Amino acid sequence: MNALQLAAEEIQNPLLPAIPEIVIGLIAFAIVFGFLAKKLLPNIEKVLEERREAIEGGIEKADAAQTEAQSVLEQYKAQLAEARHEAARLRQEAQEQGAVIIQEMRAEGQRQREEIIAAGHAQIEADRKAAASALRQDVGTLATALAGKLVGESLEDHARQSGTVDRFLDELEAKAEAVR
């Protein structure tokens, strides 16, 4: 049993390491932790601080850009509203000018129409007078020729002929107006 007891004493609980191992492990851990705390931790904190500042700066820049974008958008909307107002005003002016031009053109057209009608009436009246005069002369010539054939002598005396023809035509016109 002696050997068994010795073997049992040497075999300790596998979950509990030996005390010298724990002490050496704690000293090694303290050395590594101290080294990391002195050398690595300040660099990590520095990088984290830089990232935090970059993120905050980025957020501030984004807020500033958003504020500027909002300002530009408001200016754009104001300019757009002003442009729409100006376009509506120009459209209204164009419509008013168009109405004035149409009215002027109608008045000018009416005036020209009246001038053309008046000129037409004057031309018709002149043509009517010319036709009446020509007809008078032709009727007078034919009437004297016929009267000369009926009477049997020549009625070529021009003064007497035109007086007789004028008297005859005046009597015809008087009879025609009396019938109306």
Side-chain angles (χ1 to χ4, degrees):
M1 263 222 200
N2 240 348
L4 250 241
Q5 273 184 339
L6 276 175
E9 284 182 9
E10 284 184 22
I11 296 179
Q12 293 181 348
N13 187 357
L15 295 178
L16 291 176
I19 291 186
E21 287 179 16
I22 291 176
V23 171
I24 291 175
L26 285 175
I27 292 173
F29 178 74
I31 291 172
V32 170
F33 184 76
F35 175 75
L36 290 178
K38 291 279 186 189
K39 295 289 181 181
L40 194 58
L41 192 58
N43 288 340
I44 292 174
E45 286 181 5
K46 180 180 173 188
V47 169
L48 288 177
E49 181 64 27
E50 287 175 359
R51 282 189 177 177
R52 185 183 61 78
E53 288 176 1
I55 290 171
E56 287 178 357
I59 291 173
E60 289 174 1
K61 287 179 184 177
D63 287 341
Q66 185 177 5
T67 304
E68 183 179 348
Q70 188 67 26
S71 170
V72 169
L73 178 65
E74 292 299 322
Q75 289 176 353
Y76 170 74
K77 285 181 180 179
Q79 288 175 350
L80 183 62
E82 184 178 328
R84 285 181 179 160
H85 178 69
E86 182 68 17
R89 185 185 65 77
L90 290 175
R91 197 173 333 142
Q92 180 66 27
E93 284 180 9
Q95 287 175 347
E96 290 172 0
Q97 289 176 353
V100 168
I101 290 171
I102 288 172
Q103 186 66 22
E104 289 174 356
M105 294 305 286
R106 282 184 182 160
E108 178 66 20
Q110 185 70 17
R111 184 189 63 77
Q112 288 178 355
R113 182 180 143 254
E114 289 172 1
E115 286 178 2
I116 291 170
I117 289 172
H121 285 304
Q123 183 65 37
I124 289 171
E125 184 63 26
D127 289 346
R128 187 188 66 75
K129 285 181 180 178
S133 174
L135 187 62
R136 244 178 213 251
Q137 288 177 357
D138 289 344
V139 168
T141 304
L142 288 174
T144 40
L146 182 64
K149 285 184 182 178
L150 287 175
V151 172
E153 65 182 63
S154 176
L155 298 173
E156 293 294 326
D157 183 17
H158 185 63
R160 186 188 298 168
Q161 177 185 2
S162 67
T164 305
V165 169
D166 285 341
R167 190 172 19 99
F168 175 72
L169 290 177
D170 287 339
E171 287 175 9
L172 280 178
E173 285 178 4
K175 286 180 184 178
E177 287 181 13
V179 171
R180 286 185 198 167

PDB file of all heavy atoms in Angstrom, residues 129-161:
ATOM      1  N   LYS A 129     -73.651 105.316-113.873  1.00  0.00           N
ATOM      2  CA  LYS A 129     -73.802 106.592-114.576  1.00  0.00           C
ATOM      3  C   LYS A 129     -73.229 106.512-115.992  1.00  0.00           C
ATOM      4  O   LYS A 129     -73.826 107.022-116.942  1.00  0.00           O
ATOM      5  CB  LYS A 129     -73.127 107.717-113.796  1.00  0.00           C
ATOM      6  CG  LYS A 129     -73.901 108.141-112.574  1.00  0.00           C
ATOM      7  CD  LYS A 129     -73.213 109.277-111.851  1.00  0.00           C
ATOM      8  CE  LYS A 129     -74.017 109.678-110.627  1.00  0.00           C
ATOM      9  NZ  LYS A 129     -73.368 110.741-109.877  1.00  0.00           N
ATOM     10  N   ALA A 130     -72.072 105.838-116.118  1.00  0.00           N
ATOM     11  CA  ALA A 130     -71.470 105.700-117.440  1.00  0.00           C
ATOM     12  C   ALA A 130     -72.364 104.856-118.347  1.00  0.00           C
ATOM     13  O   ALA A 130     -72.566 105.188-119.530  1.00  0.00           O
ATOM     14  CB  ALA A 130     -70.086 105.066-117.327  1.00  0.00           C
ATOM     15  N   ALA A 131     -72.933 103.783-117.791  1.00  0.00           N
ATOM     16  CA  ALA A 131     -73.826 102.930-118.577  1.00  0.00           C
ATOM     17  C   ALA A 131     -75.085 103.690-118.957  1.00  0.00           C
ATOM     18  O   ALA A 131     -75.581 103.583-120.092  1.00  0.00           O
ATOM     19  CB  ALA A 131     -74.168 101.666-117.789  1.00  0.00           C
ATOM     20  N   ALA A 132     -75.614 104.486-117.995  1.00  0.00           N
ATOM     21  CA  ALA A 132     -76.820 105.263-118.290  1.00  0.00           C
ATOM     22  C   ALA A 132     -76.540 106.289-119.378  1.00  0.00           C
ATOM     23  O   ALA A 132     -77.363 106.494-120.283  1.00  0.00           O
ATOM     24  CB  ALA A 132     -77.327 105.945-117.016  1.00  0.00           C
ATOM     25  N   SER A 133     -75.385 106.926-119.307  1.00  0.00           N
ATOM     26  CA  SER A 133     -75.024 107.915-120.316  1.00  0.00           C
ATOM     27  C   SER A 133     -74.854 107.254-121.674  1.00  0.00           C
ATOM     28  O   SER A 133     -75.353 107.755-122.699  1.00  0.00           O
ATOM     29  CB  SER A 133     -73.744 108.623-119.893  1.00  0.00           C
ATOM     30  OG  SER A 133     -73.300 109.480-120.909  1.00  0.00           O
ATOM     31  N   ALA A 134     -74.163 106.135-121.692  1.00  0.00           N
ATOM     32  CA  ALA A 134     -73.965 105.427-122.956  1.00  0.00           C
ATOM     33  C   ALA A 134     -75.297 104.934-123.495  1.00  0.00           C
ATOM     34  O   ALA A 134     -75.567 105.009-124.707  1.00  0.00           O
ATOM     35  CB  ALA A 134     -73.004 104.261-122.757  1.00  0.00           C
ATOM     36  N   LEU A 135     -76.150 104.444-122.599  1.00  0.00           N
ATOM     37  CA  LEU A 135     -77.458 103.969-123.014  1.00  0.00           C
ATOM     38  C   LEU A 135     -78.304 105.104-123.564  1.00  0.00           C
ATOM     39  O   LEU A 135     -79.005 104.943-124.561  1.00  0.00           O
ATOM     40  CB  LEU A 135     -78.153 103.293-121.826  1.00  0.00           C
ATOM     41  CG  LEU A 135     -79.464 102.597-122.124  1.00  0.00           C
ATOM     42  CD1 LEU A 135     -79.264 101.465-123.121  1.00  0.00           C
ATOM     43  CD2 LEU A 135     -80.074 102.065-120.846  1.00  0.00           C
ATOM     44  N   ARG A 136     -78.221 106.266-122.928  1.00  0.00           N
ATOM     45  CA  ARG A 136     -78.956 107.439-123.400  1.00  0.00           C
ATOM     46  C   ARG A 136     -78.537 107.793-124.827  1.00  0.00           C
ATOM     47  O   ARG A 136     -79.382 108.085-125.676  1.00  0.00           O
ATOM     48  CB  ARG A 136     -78.672 108.629-122.483  1.00  0.00           C
ATOM     49  CG  ARG A 136     -79.852 109.119-121.755  1.00  0.00           C
ATOM     50  CD  ARG A 136     -79.409 110.259-120.840  1.00  0.00           C
ATOM     51  NE  ARG A 136     -80.226 110.200-119.680  1.00  0.00           N
ATOM     52  CZ  ARG A 136     -81.161 111.077-119.387  1.00  0.00           C
ATOM     53  NH1 ARG A 136     -81.319 112.128-120.126  1.00  0.00           N
ATOM     54  NH2 ARG A 136     -81.927 110.916-118.361  1.00  0.00           N
ATOM     55  N   GLN A 137     -77.241 107.792-125.020  1.00  0.00           N
ATOM     56  CA  GLN A 137     -76.749 108.143-126.355  1.00  0.00           C
ATOM     57  C   GLN A 137     -77.208 107.106-127.374  1.00  0.00           C
ATOM     58  O   GLN A 137     -77.663 107.462-128.479  1.00  0.00           O
ATOM     59  CB  GLN A 137     -75.221 108.240-126.358  1.00  0.00           C
ATOM     60  CG  GLN A 137     -74.705 109.457-125.646  1.00  0.00           C
ATOM     61  CD  GLN A 137     -73.177 109.484-125.591  1.00  0.00           C
ATOM     62  OE1 GLN A 137     -72.532 108.553-126.048  1.00  0.00           O
ATOM     63  NE2 GLN A 137     -72.646 110.548-125.038  1.00  0.00           N
ATOM     64  N   ASP A 138     -77.112 105.816-127.015  1.00  0.00           N
ATOM     65  CA  ASP A 138     -77.512 104.774-127.951  1.00  0.00           C
ATOM     66  C   ASP A 138     -79.020 104.823-128.215  1.00  0.00           C
ATOM     67  O   ASP A 138     -79.466 104.699-129.364  1.00  0.00           O
ATOM     68  CB  ASP A 138     -77.133 103.387-127.422  1.00  0.00           C
ATOM     69  CG  ASP A 138     -75.629 103.158-127.456  1.00  0.00           C
ATOM     70  OD1 ASP A 138     -74.926 103.914-128.141  1.00  0.00           O
ATOM     71  OD2 ASP A 138     -75.165 102.199-126.773  1.00  0.00           O
ATOM     72  N   VAL A 139     -79.794 105.008-127.129  1.00  0.00           N
ATOM     73  CA  VAL A 139     -81.248 105.089-127.293  1.00  0.00           C
ATOM     74  C   VAL A 139     -81.600 106.325-128.119  1.00  0.00           C
ATOM     75  O   VAL A 139     -82.478 106.283-128.999  1.00  0.00           O
ATOM     76  CB  VAL A 139     -81.955 105.102-125.918  1.00  0.00           C
ATOM     77  CG1 VAL A 139     -83.414 105.485-126.052  1.00  0.00           C
ATOM     78  CG2 VAL A 139     -81.825 103.741-125.263  1.00  0.00           C
ATOM     79  N   GLY A 140     -80.918 107.429-127.861  1.00  0.00           N
ATOM     80  CA  GLY A 140     -81.185 108.662-128.621  1.00  0.00           C
ATOM     81  C   GLY A 140     -80.888 108.468-130.087  1.00  0.00           C
ATOM     82  O   GLY A 140     -81.662 108.886-130.969  1.00  0.00           O
ATOM     83  N   THR A 141     -79.768 107.843-130.388  1.00  0.00           N
ATOM     84  CA  THR A 141     -79.380 107.618-131.778  1.00  0.00           C
ATOM     85  C   THR A 141     -80.389 106.697-132.460  1.00  0.00           C
ATOM     86  O   THR A 141     -80.848 106.968-133.585  1.00  0.00           O
ATOM     87  CB  THR A 141     -77.974 107.001-131.838  1.00  0.00           C
ATOM     88  OG1 THR A 141     -77.063 107.822-131.151  1.00  0.00           O
ATOM     89  CG2 THR A 141     -77.517 106.828-133.273  1.00  0.00           C
ATOM     90  N   LEU A 142     -80.758 105.627-131.757  1.00  0.00           N
ATOM     91  CA  LEU A 142     -81.717 104.694-132.333  1.00  0.00           C
ATOM     92  C   LEU A 142     -83.100 105.338-132.486  1.00  0.00           C
ATOM     93  O   LEU A 142     -83.800 105.119-133.487  1.00  0.00           O
ATOM     94  CB  LEU A 142     -81.818 103.434-131.463  1.00  0.00           C
ATOM     95  CG  LEU A 142     -80.612 102.510-131.516  1.00  0.00           C
ATOM     96  CD1 LEU A 142     -80.777 101.390-130.499  1.00  0.00           C
ATOM     97  CD2 LEU A 142     -80.422 101.935-132.898  1.00  0.00           C
ATOM     98  N   ALA A 143     -83.483 106.131-131.471  1.00  0.00           N
ATOM     99  CA  ALA A 143     -84.801 106.772-131.513  1.00  0.00           C
ATOM    100  C   ALA A 143     -84.882 107.776-132.664  1.00  0.00           C
ATOM    101  O   ALA A 143     -85.900 107.867-133.365  1.00  0.00           O
ATOM    102  CB  ALA A 143     -85.100 107.452-130.194  1.00  0.00           C
ATOM    103  N   THR A 144     -83.830 108.569-132.867  1.00  0.00           N
ATOM    104  CA  THR A 144     -83.864 109.532-133.970  1.00  0.00           C
ATOM    105  C   THR A 144     -83.831 108.829-135.311  1.00  0.00           C
ATOM    106  O   THR A 144     -84.482 109.255-136.273  1.00  0.00           O
ATOM    107  CB  THR A 144     -82.680 110.510-133.895  1.00  0.00           C
ATOM    108  OG1 THR A 144     -81.511 109.825-133.512  1.00  0.00           O
ATOM    109  CG2 THR A 144     -82.937 111.661-133.034  1.00  0.00           C
ATOM    110  N   ALA A 145     -83.087 107.748-135.370  1.00  0.00           N
ATOM    111  CA  ALA A 145     -83.059 107.016-136.631  1.00  0.00           C
ATOM    112  C   ALA A 145     -84.427 106.431-136.919  1.00  0.00           C
ATOM    113  O   ALA A 145     -84.928 106.500-138.065  1.00  0.00           O
ATOM    114  CB  ALA A 145     -82.007 105.914-136.579  1.00  0.00           C
ATOM    115  N   LEU A 146     -85.090 105.888-135.897  1.00  0.00           N
ATOM    116  CA  LEU A 146     -86.418 105.322-136.065  1.00  0.00           C
ATOM    117  C   LEU A 146     -87.440 106.414-136.380  1.00  0.00           C
ATOM    118  O   LEU A 146     -88.287 106.247-137.266  1.00  0.00           O
ATOM    119  CB  LEU A 146     -86.812 104.555-134.800  1.00  0.00           C
ATOM    120  CG  LEU A 146     -88.157 103.857-134.837  1.00  0.00           C
ATOM    121  CD1 LEU A 146     -88.172 102.766-135.906  1.00  0.00           C
ATOM    122  CD2 LEU A 146     -88.468 103.270-133.485  1.00  0.00           C
ATOM    123  N   ALA A 147     -87.325 107.506-135.649  1.00  0.00           N
ATOM    124  CA  ALA A 147     -88.256 108.621-135.900  1.00  0.00           C
ATOM    125  C   ALA A 147     -88.049 109.161-137.297  1.00  0.00           C
ATOM    126  O   ALA A 147     -89.013 109.536-137.992  1.00  0.00           O
ATOM    127  CB  ALA A 147     -88.054 109.715-134.870  1.00  0.00           C
ATOM    128  N   GLY A 148     -86.807 109.227-137.743  1.00  0.00           N
ATOM    129  CA  GLY A 148     -86.525 109.715-139.095  1.00  0.00           C
ATOM    130  C   GLY A 148     -87.128 108.776-140.121  1.00  0.00           C
ATOM    131  O   GLY A 148     -87.642 109.224-141.153  1.00  0.00           O
ATOM    132  N   LYS A 149     -87.104 107.503-139.897  1.00  0.00           N
ATOM    133  CA  LYS A 149     -87.693 106.556-140.824  1.00  0.00           C
ATOM    134  C   LYS A 149     -89.212 106.662-140.809  1.00  0.00           C
ATOM    135  O   LYS A 149     -89.860 106.518-141.847  1.00  0.00           O
ATOM    136  CB  LYS A 149     -87.265 105.132-140.475  1.00  0.00           C
ATOM    137  CG  LYS A 149     -85.846 104.842-140.874  1.00  0.00           C
ATOM    138  CD  LYS A 149     -85.484 103.412-140.600  1.00  0.00           C
ATOM    139  CE  LYS A 149     -84.046 103.189-140.975  1.00  0.00           C
ATOM    140  NZ  LYS A 149     -83.608 101.847-140.710  1.00  0.00           N
ATOM    141  N   LEU A 150     -89.775 106.918-139.623  1.00  0.00           N
ATOM    142  CA  LEU A 150     -91.229 107.040-139.526  1.00  0.00           C
ATOM    143  C   LEU A 150     -91.710 108.331-140.179  1.00  0.00           C
ATOM    144  O   LEU A 150     -92.743 108.360-140.850  1.00  0.00           O
ATOM    145  CB  LEU A 150     -91.686 107.012-138.077  1.00  0.00           C
ATOM    146  CG  LEU A 150     -91.607 105.652-137.387  1.00  0.00           C
ATOM    147  CD1 LEU A 150     -91.964 105.807-135.921  1.00  0.00           C
ATOM    148  CD2 LEU A 150     -92.545 104.646-138.036  1.00  0.00           C
ATOM    149  N   VAL A 151     -91.030 109.368-139.935  1.00  0.00           N
ATOM    150  CA  VAL A 151     -91.443 110.676-140.454  1.00  0.00           C
ATOM    151  C   VAL A 151     -91.063 110.773-141.933  1.00  0.00           C
ATOM    152  O   VAL A 151     -91.749 111.433-142.708  1.00  0.00           O
ATOM    153  CB  VAL A 151     -90.799 111.804-139.622  1.00  0.00           C
ATOM    154  CG1 VAL A 151     -91.030 113.161-140.236  1.00  0.00           C
ATOM    155  CG2 VAL A 151     -91.269 111.750-138.216  1.00  0.00           C
ATOM    156  N   GLY A 152     -90.000 110.162-142.261  1.00  0.00           N
ATOM    157  CA  GLY A 152     -89.589 110.189-143.644  1.00  0.00           C
ATOM    158  C   GLY A 152     -88.582 111.265-143.933  1.00  0.00           C
ATOM    159  O   GLY A 152     -88.199 111.465-145.071  1.00  0.00           O
ATOM    160  N   GLU A 153     -88.187 112.005-143.016  1.00  0.00           N
ATOM    161  CA  GLU A 153     -87.150 113.012-143.238  1.00  0.00           C
ATOM    162  C   GLU A 153     -86.069 112.825-142.197  1.00  0.00           C
ATOM    163  O   GLU A 153     -86.281 112.234-141.141  1.00  0.00           O
ATOM    164  CB  GLU A 153     -87.725 114.434-143.199  1.00  0.00           C
ATOM    165  CG  GLU A 153     -88.269 114.825-141.886  1.00  0.00           C
ATOM    166  CD  GLU A 153     -88.870 116.223-141.944  1.00  0.00           C
ATOM    167  OE1 GLU A 153     -89.844 116.440-142.674  1.00  0.00           O
ATOM    168  OE2 GLU A 153     -88.344 117.063-141.222  1.00  0.00           O
ATOM    169  N   SER A 154     -84.929 113.351-142.429  1.00  0.00           N
ATOM    170  CA  SER A 154     -83.781 113.163-141.561  1.00  0.00           C
ATOM    171  C   SER A 154     -83.845 114.104-140.374  1.00  0.00           C
ATOM    172  O   SER A 154     -84.101 115.291-140.523  1.00  0.00           O
ATOM    173  CB  SER A 154     -82.504 113.431-142.368  1.00  0.00           C
ATOM    174  OG  SER A 154     -81.404 113.353-141.515  1.00  0.00           O
ATOM    175  N   LEU A 155     -83.601 113.539-139.220  1.00  0.00           N
ATOM    176  CA  LEU A 155     -83.559 114.340-137.993  1.00  0.00           C
ATOM    177  C   LEU A 155     -82.104 114.373-137.516  1.00  0.00           C
ATOM    178  O   LEU A 155     -81.787 114.085-136.377  1.00  0.00           O
ATOM    179  CB  LEU A 155     -84.444 113.719-136.907  1.00  0.00           C
ATOM    180  CG  LEU A 155     -85.928 113.615-137.223  1.00  0.00           C
ATOM    181  CD1 LEU A 155     -86.642 112.837-136.138  1.00  0.00           C
ATOM    182  CD2 LEU A 155     -86.536 114.990-137.352  1.00  0.00           C
ATOM    183  N   GLU A 156     -81.250 114.801-138.370  1.00  0.00           N
ATOM    184  CA  GLU A 156     -79.819 114.763-138.086  1.00  0.00           C
ATOM    185  C   GLU A 156     -79.352 115.985-137.333  1.00  0.00           C
ATOM    186  O   GLU A 156     -78.214 116.015-136.909  1.00  0.00           O
ATOM    187  CB  GLU A 156     -79.029 114.657-139.401  1.00  0.00           C
ATOM    188  CG  GLU A 156     -79.220 113.348-140.117  1.00  0.00           C
ATOM    189  CD  GLU A 156     -78.654 112.182-139.354  1.00  0.00           C
ATOM    190  OE1 GLU A 156     -77.633 112.330-138.668  1.00  0.00           O
ATOM    191  OE2 GLU A 156     -79.224 111.095-139.414  1.00  0.00           O
ATOM    192  N   ASP A 157     -80.165 116.948-137.129  1.00  0.00           N
ATOM    193  CA  ASP A 157     -79.737 118.141-136.392  1.00  0.00           C
ATOM    194  C   ASP A 157     -79.419 117.702-134.967  1.00  0.00           C
ATOM    195  O   ASP A 157     -80.301 117.248-134.229  1.00  0.00           O
ATOM    196  CB  ASP A 157     -80.848 119.194-136.433  1.00  0.00           C
ATOM    197  CG  ASP A 157     -80.429 120.471-135.743  1.00  0.00           C
ATOM    198  OD1 ASP A 157     -79.204 120.658-135.534  1.00  0.00           O
ATOM    199  OD2 ASP A 157     -81.313 121.252-135.390  1.00  0.00           O
ATOM    200  N   HIS A 158     -78.196 117.879-134.611  1.00  0.00           N
ATOM    201  CA  HIS A 158     -77.710 117.334-133.339  1.00  0.00           C
ATOM    202  C   HIS A 158     -78.344 118.022-132.141  1.00  0.00           C
ATOM    203  O   HIS A 158     -78.720 117.343-131.172  1.00  0.00           O
ATOM    204  CB  HIS A 158     -76.176 117.466-133.292  1.00  0.00           C
ATOM    205  CG  HIS A 158     -75.573 116.821-132.083  1.00  0.00           C
ATOM    206  ND1 HIS A 158     -75.663 115.472-131.856  1.00  0.00           N
ATOM    207  CD2 HIS A 158     -74.891 117.332-131.037  1.00  0.00           C
ATOM    208  CE1 HIS A 158     -75.059 115.186-130.725  1.00  0.00           C
ATOM    209  NE2 HIS A 158     -74.573 116.320-130.218  1.00  0.00           N
ATOM    210  N   ALA A 159     -78.474 119.289-132.133  1.00  0.00           N
ATOM    211  CA  ALA A 159     -79.042 120.014-131.001  1.00  0.00           C
ATOM    212  C   ALA A 159     -80.497 119.623-130.823  1.00  0.00           C
ATOM    213  O   ALA A 159     -80.963 119.367-129.700  1.00  0.00           O
ATOM    214  CB  ALA A 159     -78.908 121.512-131.200  1.00  0.00           C
ATOM    215  N   ARG A 160     -81.223 119.578-131.887  1.00  0.00           N
ATOM    216  CA  ARG A 160     -82.629 119.214-131.792  1.00  0.00           C
ATOM    217  C   ARG A 160     -82.744 117.752-131.377  1.00  0.00           C
ATOM    218  O   ARG A 160     -83.611 117.397-130.580  1.00  0.00           O
ATOM    219  CB  ARG A 160     -83.287 119.412-133.165  1.00  0.00           C
ATOM    220  CG  ARG A 160     -84.790 119.180-133.077  1.00  0.00           C
ATOM    221  CD  ARG A 160     -85.466 119.179-134.418  1.00  0.00           C
ATOM    222  NE  ARG A 160     -85.335 120.439-135.106  1.00  0.00           N
ATOM    223  CZ  ARG A 160     -85.627 120.629-136.364  1.00  0.00           C
ATOM    224  NH1 ARG A 160     -86.042 119.628-137.101  1.00  0.00           N
ATOM    225  NH2 ARG A 160     -85.499 121.796-136.931  1.00  0.00           N
ATOM    226  N   GLN A 161     -81.888 116.937-131.899  1.00  0.00           N
ATOM    227  CA  GLN A 161     -81.922 115.512-131.600  1.00  0.00           C
ATOM    228  C   GLN A 161     -81.660 115.263-130.120  1.00  0.00           C
ATOM    229  O   GLN A 161     -82.413 114.543-129.467  1.00  0.00           O
ATOM    230  CB  GLN A 161     -80.852 114.795-132.443  1.00  0.00           C
ATOM    231  CG  GLN A 161     -80.747 113.320-132.171  1.00  0.00           C
ATOM    232  CD  GLN A 161     -79.599 112.697-132.953  1.00  0.00           C
ATOM    233  OE1 GLN A 161     -78.869 113.384-133.656  1.00  0.00           O
ATOM    234  NE2 GLN A 161     -79.449 111.430-132.828  1.00  0.00           N
TER     235      GLN A 161
END
